[in-house]
Amino acid sequence: MEFGLPDIIIQWTCSFLRHRCQRVKIGEVMSDWLVMNAGMPQGSYLGPMTFIMLVDSLQASCMTHKHVDDTTMSEVVAKSNTSNMQVYCDELAQQSEQAQMNINSCKTKEMISKDPPPRLMLCGATVDRVTTFKLLGIRVQ
C-alpha cells in the first residue's frame, strides 16, 4: 500500500494502535485490563480512513466501483467470448485474504443481462444470481 504518507505519520499511527488496553464496565463492575493485539478503537477518526485504505488496496482486473465497504465489479462480454468474472472474483478473494479482510459471500450478488455463463464462486460459496439489486440506494435491473 503506497499513499505517499510521511514516515512520521505512519510511526504515529502505529504508536496509536500498539499496546492498547481495554476493559469492560457493566453497572459498577469493571473487568481486568486486557491488551489488544488487533483492531481500531471504536469511534476514532482513523477507523474509517484506515478501512478505506485497506479497501483501496483491493484491485481486481476488471471495472471496479467502490463505496466504503461495497465493491461492484463488472465486465462487458462479447457474444463470442467467455466471461472472466470467476478469475476476477478469485483475485479479489486472494487479495482480501492477504489483507486479512473477510468477504461476506452471502451478501454478494451476480446479475446477468443475457446468455448466462457458469455460476460464480466466492470463497467456496456459490454467488446468488439475481435479476435486480440495490446499489447505493438505486435499484439496478
Side-chain angles (χ1 to χ4, degrees):
M1 235 181 325
E2 177 59 49
F3 291 98
L5 295 172
D7 286 345
I8 191 70
I9 298 296
I10 295 169
Q11 292 169 7
W12 178 84
T13 304
C14 290
S15 175
F16 175 70
L17 295 173
R18 284 192 184 126
H19 310 297
R20 297 191 68 83
C21 296
Q22 78 171 28
R23 64 181 176 177
V24 177
K25 179 179 180 184
I26 300 175
E28 296 301 316
V29 179
M30 296 273 252
S31 71
D32 292 333
W33 285 100
L34 178 68
V35 176
M36 303 304 298
N37 296 319
M40 178 68 64
Q42 187 174 0
S44 73
Y45 288 109
L46 286 180
M49 179 78 71
T50 304
F51 182 78
I52 289 169
M53 291 168 68
L54 284 170
V55 168
D56 187 61
S57 70
L58 304 178
Q59 300 291 330
S61 300
C62 64
M63 289 184 285
T64 306
H65 313 280
K66 300 176 186 177
H67 181 75
V68 189
D69 64 346
D70 288 327
T71 300
T72 302
M73 300 187 308
S74 58
E75 73 174 335
V76 176
V77 182
K79 198 167 190 120
S80 60
N81 292 348
T82 58
S83 171
N84 290 312
M85 191 54 70
Q86 185 61 62
V87 173
Y88 305 144
C89 283
D90 294 343
E91 282 178 355
L92 192 68
Q94 181 182 12
Q95 291 173 15
S96 64
E97 184 178 323
Q98 289 171 345
Q100 297 181 355
M101 297 176 69
N102 295 325
I103 294 177
N104 187 343
S105 55
C106 294
K107 290 185 176 181
T108 302
K109 306 296 178 217
E110 175 185 26
M111 191 169 103
I112 306 293
S113 58
K114 294 183 180 181
D115 301 324
R119 299 297 295 265
L120 283 177
M121 301 293 292
L122 184 62
C123 301
T126 302
V127 173
D128 288 341
R129 188 170 281 175
V130 297
T131 58
T132 181
F133 71 100
K134 195 172 184 181
L135 176 63
L136 301 177
I138 298 171
R139 177 100 11 224
V140 179
Q141 296 181 325

